[in-house]
Amino acid sequence: MTQRKRIGDRLLDAGLITQEHLDIAVQEQKKTGELLGAILFSHGFISQNDLLQVLSCSHDGSAEALPKEESVDIPEELAYLVKQSSSAFQGEGAGKKESDFAQSPIVMLVEKLIVSGISRGATDVHIGPDTKGTRVRYRVDGKLHHAVYLPKDLLNPLVSRIKIIGHMNIAESRLPQDGGAEIPFKNRKVDLRISTFPVTGGENVVVRILDKSQLTLGLESLGYLTHATNKIHEILKLPFGMILATGPTGSGKTTTLYSCLTAINTVSKHIFTIEDPVEYQMPLVRQAQVNVKAGLTFARGLRSILRQDPDVILVGEMRDIETAELAVSAALTGHLVFSTLHTNDAVSSIMRMIDMGIEPFLVSATLDAVIGQRLVRLLCQQCKEEIPSGEAVYEKVKTDPTKGGLYKARGCEACGNTGYAGRTVIYEILTVSPEIKDMISRKATLADVRQQAKQEGFMSMAEIGVEKVRMGLTSYEELSSVTRTEEL
């Protein structure tokens, strides 16, 4: 059987592009890793009909499969679904009932896009308008990756179908909307949180994938080293007070707090949570989910929980002064309170609480520990490449180059040519000692508090990250992309 030509050669043979067009696209592909067909399409070198005609020619009865460059880790029939969807919805409105097109190509296309994202371990699916088409991307291990480039006229039908799934208003396209759904996947249920936002060219959609089966509890399994787990377990012995987890969205804060609750969860403790959403069902724990439309906010839920005789309370997030004041009050009155904040590091959480309106003396009286964290990608163990001893990175991480042990990403089929597979946590644990509590009450600067913490043995996220670089778990380049290594 003769080898099937690549898409660029086929378009060239058909006279649909010139050699110059192909050279430009190949050069861009080397930089971005994007599909050649998508690049040609986005530059206007070919039309959507040209692209669809070439992509769908494997469905003319030939037994040959699509080449790897065209499959984009999406099932082979995607090209066919795109073509059918584009034809079926040409000039039609999303006023249809769901039953009218339950088996339509657009329904199957949306399903393929979401299921493929779940299969790849994506946390988010991004769908939105691009210069001349509709771009779909997956966030895997914290990084966005190109998935597929679709015709422009498919955006509105895709958005409408996703809105139907999320029980949203398909007639409203001028305002942002939020929705949610639960879909079956391999004998389990996967939760979706859907957000739409009007932008130039249409609406942008982000589908957050909450796959509870992928949630692994336990500080060690998250990547906390032995000295850190010992320190956290000592903190968890506190009978009352406040423990915060801080970091950007998607940094694993909730998973860390779940792991903390698991460590102290016994029949003798009455534990309540108020979350948005409940990401993992825990035995013995009384869990509630925020429902703003019904009037159940973090503040209202926390106020009611305090009447339920709790010992331990997890507040998913302190978003406003009312919730923060109630959490502080709970910590003052004999409860152990866990919550999260969005700050860049552990020490900044002190100022964040004060900026929210909590008096410094109340912060010092209640705050006992802050766990700051971020996630870095793990080097693929099948293809990671040892760095030669002469490279400058050995000096940056203060490692003897003659002993080696530092690695960089290379890329292979197992890791999708990214060089990374999975993630691990880098962290910092601030124990609010009596000296630091006094400094908070006196309104000391964060620089002074940080200096005092370092004298007490505090290690920054960058320092923990360097330790993991030395262990060969991640690369210095990856660490530099998520934290301020210049502070080392």
Side-chain angles (χ1 to χ4, degrees):
M1 182 181 294
T2 58
Q3 186 175 1
R4 188 183 182 95
K5 289 186 177 180
R6 295 167 67 88
I7 186 172
D9 294 327
R10 282 189 279 153
L11 288 167
L12 195 62
D13 290 346
L16 296 172
I17 60 171
T18 66
Q19 185 62 50
E20 183 182 8
H21 292 158
L22 183 57
D23 292 341
I24 292 172
V26 168
Q27 288 302 313
E28 183 169 337
Q29 186 184 46
K30 289 178 180 178
K31 296 177 183 178
T32 65
E34 197 168 348
L35 296 183
L36 196 65
I39 295 171
L40 291 165
F41 177 34
S42 63
H43 279 284
F45 296 155
I46 57 175
S47 69
Q48 67 182 45
N49 288 333
D50 295 334
L51 182 58
L52 289 173
Q53 181 179 353
V54 172
L55 289 177
S56 61
C57 66
S58 64
H59 296 275
D60 59 4
S62 169
E64 296 177 272
L66 286 170
K68 183 182 175 184
E69 66 165 352
E70 297 162 24
S71 64
V72 209
D73 291 331
I74 300 268
E76 176 181 315
E77 62 269 25
L78 177 63
Y80 175 73
L81 289 177
V82 171
K83 188 173 184 180
Q84 293 297 103
S85 299
S86 191
S87 300
F89 280 83
Q90 188 72 35
E92 290 189 15
K96 285 176 173 286
K97 297 179 181 178
E98 183 174 6
S99 58
D100 291 339
F101 58 126
Q103 298 300 319
S104 73
I106 202 73
V107 171
M108 292 186 284
L109 178 57
V110 169
E111 181 182 346
K112 290 292 182 188
L113 294 174
I114 294 175
V115 167
S116 295
I118 298 171
S119 299
R120 290 179 58 170
T123 56
D124 304 87
V125 180
H126 291 237
I127 303 173
D130 212 331
T131 311
K132 297 183 179 181
T134 300
R135 188 177 296 277
V136 182
R137 294 181 290 177
Y138 295 140
R139 188 176 294 280
V140 181
D141 290 338
K143 299 289 185 181
L144 276 174
H145 298 274
H146 172 79
V148 70
Y149 204 75
L150 302 174
K152 193 171 187 176
D153 59 6
L154 285 185
L155 178 61
N156 288 341
L158 283 172
V159 172
S160 294
R161 175 57 191 165
I162 292 171
K163 284 181 178 179
I164 288 173
I165 293 173
H167 307 287
M168 301 152 75
N169 183 2
I170 62 172
E172 178 58 75
S173 60
R174 297 168 299 175
L175 295 174
Q177 293 190 63
D178 293 307
E182 186 180 71
I183 65 170
F185 178 76
K186 292 185 177 179
N187 300 318
R188 65 179 188 269
K189 296 290 187 180
V190 175
D191 289 331
L192 306 178
R193 296 176 71 189
I194 301 168
S195 171
T196 65
F197 190 83
V199 295
T200 302
E203 290 180 90
N204 195 71
V205 180
V206 177
V207 180
R208 169 66 57 86
I209 298 170
L210 299 173
D211 192 351
K212 297 173 184 177
S213 69
Q214 301 301 307
L215 186 66
T216 304
L217 297 184
L219 296 171
E220 295 86 354
S221 63
L222 292 173
Y224 280 88
L225 302 177
T226 302
H227 64 82
T229 57
N230 292 339
K231 193 170 187 177
I232 292 174
H233 282 297
E234 283 300 311
I235 294 169
L236 295 177
K237 293 179 181 178
L238 292 170
F240 56 86
M242 183 178 290
I243 299 171
L244 296 179
T246 184
T249 300
S251 60
K253 300 184 298 294
T254 302
T255 307
T256 294
L257 291 185
Y258 275 159
S259 299
C260 290
L261 288 185
T262 299
I264 62 173
N265 187 16
T266 65
V267 72
S268 62
K269 281 189 168 65
H270 203 195
I271 302 176
F272 274 84
T273 76
I274 178 73
E275 307 170 58
D276 185 21
V278 173
E279 295 185 22
Y280 180 78
Q281 295 286 343
M282 304 181 70
L284 291 178
V285 178
R286 307 300 189 242
Q287 296 172 266
Q289 183 161 309
V290 166
N291 188 337
V292 177
K293 290 182 179 179
L296 181 57
T297 62
F298 277 117
R300 186 169 182 178
L302 179 53
R303 189 177 287 108
S304 297
I305 285 172
L306 289 171
R307 304 189 192 105
Q308 291 282 311
D309 188 31
D311 298 301
V312 180
I313 304 170
L314 167 63
V315 183
E317 185 180 342
M318 291 197 296
R319 293 179 178 172
D320 51 59
I321 180 59
E322 184 181 10
T323 305
E325 286 178 337
L326 286 167
V328 166
S329 176
L332 280 173
T333 54
H335 305 89
L336 185 59
V337 179
F338 295 87
S339 192
T340 68
L341 278 178
H342 291 283
T343 59
N344 288 328
D345 54 51
V347 178
S348 299
S349 298
I350 296 168
M351 187 57 68
R352 175 73 178 122
M353 290 187 69
I354 294 172
D355 288 344
M356 289 178 71
I358 306 298
E359 292 291 339
F361 76 91
L362 289 175
V363 176
S364 67
T366 56
L367 188 61
D368 289 296
V370 184
I371 303 171
Q373 67 180 55
R374 290 172 184 263
L375 296 174
V376 295
R377 292 181 295 171
L378 288 165
L379 284 165
C380 174
Q381 296 302 302
Q382 296 191 38
C383 69
K384 68 178 183 179
E385 187 175 307
E386 189 165 12
I387 300 174
S389 59
E391 297 287 338
V393 66
Y394 283 92
E395 184 178 349
K396 291 179 180 178
V397 301
K398 300 177 177 61
T399 294
D400 185 355
T402 62
K403 295 181 179 178
L406 299 187
Y407 294 85
K408 62 182 178 181
R410 187 177 66 185
C412 65
E413 187 174 350
C415 61
N417 291 313
T418 64
Y420 297 92
R423 290 190 288 178
T424 186
V425 69
I426 58 173
Y427 53 83
E428 52 192 29
I429 304 169
L430 174 67
T431 302
V432 187
S433 64
E435 291 77 12
I436 293 178
K437 286 180 179 289
D438 183 60
M439 295 177 75
I440 295 172
S441 295
R442 291 188 285 106
K443 301 181 181 179
T445 65
L446 289 184
D448 289 339
V449 173
R450 189 174 283 109
Q451 182 61 35
Q452 175 63 32
K454 283 187 172 292
Q455 292 177 9
E456 297 174 6
F458 174 81
M459 292 180 67
S460 70
M461 277 184 273
E463 290 172 312
I464 295 297
V466 164
E467 194 169 334
K468 295 201 171 188
V469 171
R470 294 187 190 122
M471 294 168 66
L473 296 175
T474 191
S475 68
Y476 187 79
E477 290 75 19
E478 173 67 8
L479 177 63
S480 300
S481 72
V482 298
T483 190
R484 300 174 67 97
T485 51
E486 73 271 11
E487 296 177 356
L488 291 168

